[in-house]
């Protein structure tokens, strides 16, 4: 499964590192979109594919992990709502944005996951909303801790 990280801060990096460490993903299956060139360069140095914009991230990814601040998603919602998310799924790491709002913005299934940076070591306690339709994603996260 190709995984696209929209945002690549501490938590996104921890998830990506955990996926590699536990051999749940390969570097070529991970794509990253971030604001700064420095962050994109770091992702590339870690073996991941940096993306120039949301359209490119979406084209490469089966699963989009929203690892951005809530204020950023509010700014991006008008743009993202015009994009075609057909056949895609979204995992949100944002606690303060409602799932219904995200589902409306993306017109695709959305799952909320609440990990911590301990996920990198594979021993996290991970909160998750009802994973119906995300059973494979739940299995990925179960490889990184207790769900």
């Amino acid at each position: 499964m190709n995984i696209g990280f929209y945002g690549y801060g501490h938590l996104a990096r921890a998830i990506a590192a955990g996926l590699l460490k536990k051999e749940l993903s390969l570097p070529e299956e991970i794509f990253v979109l971030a604001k700064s060139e420095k962050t994109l360069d770091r992702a590339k140095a870690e073996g991941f594919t940096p993306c120039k914009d949301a359209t490119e991230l979406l084209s490469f990814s089966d699963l989009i992990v929203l690892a951005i601040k809530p204020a950023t998603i509010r700014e991006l919602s008008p743009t993202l709502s015009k994009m075609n998310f057909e056949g895609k799924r979204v995992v949100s790491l944002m606690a303060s944005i409602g799932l219904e709002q995200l589902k409306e913005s993306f017109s695709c299934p959305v799952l909320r996951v609440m990990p911590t940076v301990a996920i990198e070591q594979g021993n996290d306690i991970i909160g998750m909303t009802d994973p119906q339709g995300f059973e494979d994603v739940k299995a990925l996260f179960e490889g990184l801790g207790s769900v």
Side-chain angles (χ1 to χ4, degrees), residues 79-111:
T79 302
L80 294 174
S81 66
K82 294 175 187 170
M83 297 176 72
N84 183 4
F85 280 82
E86 187 176 332
K88 308 293 182 180
R89 295 176 298 163
V90 171
V91 168
S92 172
L93 305 180
M94 298 179 294
S96 63
I97 303 290
L99 285 179
E100 291 307 315
Q101 180 182 347
L102 291 171
K103 288 176 186 176
E104 288 174 18
S105 294
F106 297 109
S107 302
C108 71
V110 179
L111 176 72

Side-chain angles (χ1 to χ4, degrees), residues 5-78:
F5 286 92
Y6 200 128
Y8 199 61
H10 297 296
L11 192 52
R13 285 195 309 268
I15 293 169
L19 290 170
L20 293 184
K21 184 176 185 174
K22 294 293 186 171
E23 299 180 355
L24 298 169
S25 289
L26 299 170
E28 57 268 19
E29 296 173 322
I30 296 178
F31 301 85
V32 175
L33 177 61
K35 285 184 189 179
S36 77
E37 286 299 318
K38 181 180 177 183
T39 302
L40 290 173
D41 289 344
R42 179 178 182 166
K44 187 174 183 177
E46 292 168 352
F48 308 135
T49 303
C51 296
K52 64 180 187 295
D53 58 30
T55 301
E56 186 175 61
L57 183 75
L58 190 61
S59 71
F60 289 134
S61 306
D62 304 307
L63 180 73
I64 309 295
V65 178
L66 292 177
I68 54 180
K69 295 184 184 327
T72 304
I73 195 68
R74 288 184 189 102
E75 293 168 16
L76 294 173
S77 281

Side-chain angles (χ1 to χ4, degrees), residues 121-136:
Q121 303 305 318
N123 60 0
D124 199 9
I125 297 174
I126 304 161
M128 181 179 291
T129 56
D130 182 358
Q132 183 176 357
F134 287 87
E135 289 80 6
D136 56 336

